[in-house]
Amino acid sequence: MGGKQDREEAYGKPAKYDPSFRGPIKNRSCTDVICCVLFLLFILGYIVVGIVAWVYGDPQQVLYPRNSTGAYCGMGANKDKPYLLYFNIFSCILATNIITISEHGLQCPTPQVCVSSCPQAPWTVSKSEYSLTVGEVFYAENRNFCLPGVPWNMPLLQSLQQELCPSFLLPSTPALGRCLPWYNYTTVPELPGISSNASIIQGISGLVDSLNARDISIRIFEDFAQSWYWILVALGVALVLSMLFILLLRLVAGPVVLVLIVGVLGVLAYGIYHCWKEYQVLRDEGASITQLGFTTNLSAYGSVQETWLAALIVLAVLEGLLLLLLIFLRQRIRIAIALLQEASRAVGQMMSTMFYPLVTFVLLLICIAYWAMIALYLATSGQPQYVLWAPNVSLPGCETVPVNTSCDPTAQPMNSSCPGLMCVFQGYLSTGLVQRSLFNLQIYGVLGLFWTLNWVLALGQCVLAGAFASFYWAFNKPRDIPTFPLGAAFIRTLRYHTGSLAFGALILSLVQIARVILEYIDHKLRGAQNPMARCIMCCFKCCLWCLEKFIKFLNRNAYIMIAIYGKNFCVSAKNAFMLLMRNVVRVVVLDKVTDLLLLFGKLLVVGGVGVLSFFFFTGRIPGLGKEFENPHLNYYWLPIMTSILGAYAIASGFFSVFGMCVDTLFLCFLEDLERNDGSLDRPYYMSKALLKILGKKNEAPPGKKRKK
């Protein structure tokens, strides 16, 4: 007894009875005011960053292709020329790398011109055409692919030397506004300036793998257009199944948990039987690990008796431990089942809580979209900068050319003696105040993303906790439940506890950003690491992962205490942690039973929708009329996978509400046990089922005693 009291004293004293406590405190004050002010100032700065990005950024520099003069294709003077043609697209592969291309807005060190349509047939200039003019070779044959302003009578050879016209054309298709070679084009002509066709095919395959994806994307769009209605029907089925599962838990929670436990015991028992039979066969054959020796072929260990004997021992130990846990923890498992049933009743009394995840989803979408727009606008801030570039500076006439110096793309050095000299896009000017602070602004945006996302999630948890706590602390249910518990909890949380939510969200955000930085460092140094460095990095990553999980657990329970008592974050986190540690065995049992039940629910919803979608979209349900006939699809797996993913998202949203309800009722249940004793002055607020399991009861009023 003394040891138990010492342990309870180490984790704080039990909560004392408060005659004025009747559920979530109504008269409360603002908490963590300093953090609230800092959060509001941060949001104000986040808005200022967005305005700065809007003023200085230009996402058209990324979204729209730009020719060699810096003019956008499909806009202004090039309104009728929406596509960009690269004179020598292989220079994108041969002269640079894909990261550089992405950073420079898909710019390549080759002349680029806006065209009304991409080339449809292969063409290469022949030596016999060198004596002709540009008009005879290009304009007369409707090949309008030269740079603007090239005269009709210019000699073709001169235009090719100055790279005013392309020396070859490949059948192309527009992708992202750029003319890229056909994916299935295999007959490659001999091209001037390219040493071998192997490099051409390599360049095409490396640069235009996405073209096949374009064809696939068209088919995917057609499939969605044909099947979107039935996908919505499948998602509706998932919504109904999720809601029914949660509402019916009040009736079937006990049998379902029993079936799941028996199922786990049965699986382990079958594993023991199977291992024993395999061990017997291999023992009779004399197959031993001494005959096999050491090998890297792990499948070979399945043919020796020691492997199956070890597996048999492990499974037998697990089976024995599980049976012992079930015997000694049966009372706590019954409490967990009763809490699950009570949570189902709470959700049934407040159906509006089931749809609150939609509010959270919209707020998260706004946060992500705002950050994405800021990042895009900041990345495109500054004026485009152009420099002189030549394919080979060692050629005659190129020695004195000031390569990499700034130039004007509208006045290219046409008459330069250096072959291929041109003014190409290099990047965005970084001399302004905004451009010099670009990295810091992006870091600010990333912190804003993490902080706002975690704050929105914290808001949802605290609001739901306040609503479910008002259900538990209503003595006469449902008469004493407030009229609009969810709305009242939402207003109460925003009004008084914005700072506390921001405090918890900031702590979690800093840990998550540290994990992201660590992953980035690990990715950058992966090739140069030795085994010791990899081990250290793995330990750091594991520690941060565990820290993040612990902070999420602590924050979740702290928000519940904030919703009930209205105290600041640190006090609430401390009280929640101490309360849970005083009842650590109940916490573990409830957590595992809830996880097992919700996992079964997700498998039921997702599996049911997946099987139904498979049989419908593959046409394996006979007897359906024309109105219910499955659509003809290019990829029948596409709507099936969409339905499965959507069903998982819906089930996760509904079950997250149910999980929050269970956690809230559990903390309230523990507080109820410590505060009250069942007397007339201190009655228990828990359900009759929980009172019966615990062997407790509320003292009846004197009038009812005499009536009995």
Side-chain angles (χ1 to χ4, degrees):
M1 293 293 291
K4 184 177 179 181
Q5 290 180 350
D6 292 341
R7 190 178 72 251
E8 290 183 350
E9 289 292 332
Y11 295 113
K13 296 181 180 180
K16 295 182 179 180
Y17 172 69
D18 183 3
S20 64
F21 181 73
R22 292 292 185 272
I25 303 297
K26 299 293 189 298
N27 298 323
R28 56 180 72 195
S29 58
C30 295
T31 55
D32 295 302
V33 178
I34 295 177
C35 197
C36 178
V37 173
L38 291 177
F39 182 66
L40 294 178
L41 290 176
F42 182 87
I43 294 298
L44 183 62
Y46 202 24
I47 296 174
V48 172
V49 171
I51 296 174
V52 170
W54 176 273
V55 171
Y56 290 94
D58 183 11
Q60 292 178 349
Q61 297 177 359
V62 173
L63 300 177
Y64 291 92
R66 190 175 52 236
N67 64 11
S68 298
T69 65
Y72 293 110
C73 298
M75 300 180 62
N78 296 321
K79 185 177 181 180
D80 298 329
K81 299 177 179 180
Y83 309 121
L84 184 71
L85 176 69
Y86 298 93
F87 279 14
N88 183 7
I89 196 170
F90 307 109
S91 61
C92 303
I93 293 292
L94 302 177
T96 185
N97 57 68
I98 194 66
I99 297 178
T100 306
I101 295 172
S102 301
E103 291 177 349
H104 291 173
L106 294 181
Q107 295 290 328
C108 297
T110 184
Q112 301 140 53
V113 61
C114 298
V115 295
S116 57
S117 61
C118 297
Q120 298 298 314
W123 172 83
T124 305
V125 64
S126 61
K127 293 182 179 180
S128 60
E129 294 175 325
Y130 285 169
S131 59
L132 302 179
T133 63
V134 171
E136 293 172 331
V137 175
F138 284 94
Y139 301 147
E141 299 296 332
N142 200 27
R143 299 189 188 104
N144 298 313
F145 303 119
C146 294
L147 293 177
V150 178
W152 178 287
N153 57 355
M154 175 178 281
L156 177 65
L157 186 59
Q158 180 183 355
S159 69
L160 296 179
Q161 290 175 343
Q162 297 182 3
E163 294 195 354
L164 303 178
C165 295
S167 58
F168 64 90
L169 299 172
L170 291 176
S172 305
T173 186
L176 298 176
R178 279 88 176 169
C179 292
L180 300 179
W182 286 351
Y183 176 81
N184 57 355
Y185 181 67
T186 56
T187 306
V188 183
E190 292 294 334
L191 306 179
I194 306 297
S195 59
S196 67
N197 285 356
S199 62
I200 298 173
I201 297 174
Q202 180 185 2
I204 294 177
S205 61
L207 202 110
V208 299
D209 282 344
S210 59
L211 292 179
N212 190 36
R214 178 181 177 274
D215 296 334
I216 294 175
S217 65
I218 294 175
R219 296 177 185 176
I220 289 175
F221 179 79
E222 293 173 351
D223 286 349
F224 274 123
Q226 292 286 335
S227 61
W228 67 269
Y229 176 79
W230 299 110
I231 293 175
L232 291 180
V233 171
L235 298 182
V237 171
L239 187 146
V240 172
L241 287 177
S242 302
M243 193 177 299
L244 285 177
F245 182 82
I246 291 175
L247 296 179
L248 291 177
L249 277 180
R250 70 183 74 178
L251 303 176
V252 300
V256 169
V257 172
L258 179 61
V259 169
L260 292 176
I261 292 174
V262 172
V264 173
L265 291 173
V267 170
L268 290 175
Y270 175 77
I272 293 172
Y273 170 77
H274 182 75
C275 291
W276 171 251
K277 297 298 290 185
E278 291 288 339
Y279 171 72
Q280 276 187 322
V281 172
L282 295 173
R283 184 189 60 185
D284 296 339
E285 294 177 355
S288 175
I289 196 171
T290 56
Q291 300 174 352
L292 178 65
F294 177 78
T295 177
T296 56
N297 183 13
L298 299 180
S299 60
Y301 289 102
S303 59
V304 295
Q305 57 178 321
E306 287 82 1
T307 301
W308 294 101
L309 180 61
L312 186 149
I313 295 173
V314 171
L315 292 178
V317 170
L318 289 176
E319 184 89 354
L321 288 176
L322 185 56
L323 285 172
L324 290 175
L325 288 174
L326 291 175
I327 293 172
F328 290 105
L329 300 178
R330 62 187 185 279
Q331 187 77 354
R332 289 179 172 85
I333 293 175
R334 292 179 62 197
I335 294 174
I337 294 173
L339 281 171
L340 291 171
Q341 294 171 335
E342 192 70 6
S344 178
R345 294 189 184 93
V347 172
Q349 292 290 337
M350 295 180 288
M351 290 296 295
S352 58
T353 57
M354 299 292 289
F355 300 96
Y356 185 82
L358 294 176
V359 178
T360 301
F361 174 77
V362 171
L363 293 176
L364 292 177
L365 198 62
I366 292 173
C367 294
I368 295 174
Y370 183 75
W371 169 79
M373 292 300 296
I374 286 180
L376 178 62
Y377 274 85
L378 285 176
T380 57
S381 62
Q383 295 297 321
Q385 189 175 13
Y386 296 85
V387 296
L388 290 175
W389 177 86
N392 191 352
V393 294
S394 61
L395 293 176
C398 296
E399 296 87 351
T400 59
V401 173
V403 181
N404 293 328
T405 57
S406 60
C407 59
D408 183 4
T410 60
Q412 295 213 26
M414 302 285 187
N415 299 323
S416 174
S417 58
C418 179
L421 183 66
M422 67 185 70
C423 189
V424 298
F425 172 78
Q426 184 187 46
Y428 300 110
L429 202 61
S430 58
T431 56
L433 177 62
V434 175
Q435 288 72 38
R436 288 197 302 268
S437 307
L438 185 61
F439 178 77
N440 296 331
L441 294 177
Q442 291 284 21
I443 293 297
Y444 192 96
V446 171
L447 178 59
L449 173 68
F450 279 95
W451 201 356
T452 52
L453 289 181
N454 287 316
W455 185 86
V456 169
L457 294 174
L459 175 67
Q461 292 175 351
C462 196
V463 169
L464 290 173
F468 292 128
S470 64
F471 169 86
Y472 185 93
W473 296 109
F475 189 75
N476 296 307
K477 302 177 180 66
R479 187 181 64 191
D480 294 342
I481 300 175
T483 307
F484 300 105
L486 187 66
F490 185 83
I491 295 173
R492 190 166 58 239
T493 303
L494 278 182
R495 180 178 179 183
Y496 296 109
H497 307 303
T498 297
S500 297
L501 302 184
F503 191 10
L506 178 61
I507 296 173
L508 182 58
S509 299
L510 294 177
V511 175
Q512 291 174 338
I513 291 176
R515 286 193 65 195
V516 171
I517 294 173
L518 203 62
E519 290 288 347
Y520 176 78
I521 295 174
D522 182 41
H523 176 73
K524 286 292 185 182
L525 303 179
R526 185 167 297 170
Q529 283 179 353
N530 55 36
M532 180 61 70
R534 285 198 299 269
C535 179
I536 295 174
M537 184 65 69
C538 184
C539 291
F540 275 121
K541 290 163 66 175
C542 181
C543 291
L544 284 178
W545 180 84
C546 294
L547 180 61
E548 181 183 356
K549 291 296 181 183
F550 174 74
I551 290 177
K552 283 184 177 180
F553 171 79
L554 191 63
N555 284 4
R556 184 182 180 91
N557 291 282
Y559 298 146
I560 295 174
M561 300 299 278
I562 289 172
I564 298 174
Y565 298 106
K567 296 182 180 179
N568 62 48
F569 177 81
C570 293
V571 173
S572 299
K574 175 190 172 184
N575 292 341
F577 182 74
M578 294 299 182
L579 180 62
L580 294 174
M581 290 303 297
R582 292 196 295 268
N583 302 271
V584 64
V585 178
R586 286 172 175 166
V587 173
V588 174
V589 173
L590 178 70
D591 184 59
K592 296 310 171 187
V593 171
T594 304
D595 289 345
L596 185 63
L597 195 62
L598 295 185
L599 176 62
F600 174 75
K602 287 182 182 179
L603 292 177
L604 181 66
V605 173
V606 176
V609 171
V611 170
L612 183 63
S613 301
F614 174 78
F615 278 96
F616 176 77
F617 287 112
T618 56
R620 301 189 183 188
I621 304 179
L624 296 177
K626 289 187 177 181
E627 295 182 357
F628 299 97
E629 185 178 359
N630 62 299
H632 299 286
L633 304 172
N634 297 302
Y635 310 106
Y636 69 86
W637 52 264
L638 179 67
I640 296 175
M641 293 303 300
T642 304
S643 301
I644 290 175
L645 293 175
Y648 180 80
I650 290 173
S652 299
F654 277 92
F655 293 160
S656 66
V657 174
F658 184 75
M660 195 67 202
C661 181
V662 172
D663 291 344
T664 303
L665 296 185
F666 180 58
L667 281 183
C668 293
F669 165 74
L670 298 179
E671 287 272 327
D672 194 10
L673 283 177
E674 293 186 351
R675 286 179 176 274
N676 304 310
D677 57 7
S679 62
L680 288 176
D681 295 331
R682 299 166 60 183
Y684 290 114
Y685 284 79
M686 67 186 72
S687 65
K688 293 180 180 179
L690 285 169
L691 287 172
K692 184 178 179 181
I693 293 171
L694 294 172
K696 300 178 182 294
K697 61 180 181 179
N698 283 328
E699 184 178 341
K704 289 189 177 182
K705 285 183 178 180
R706 287 195 298 268
K707 191 177 291 185
K708 290 181 180 179

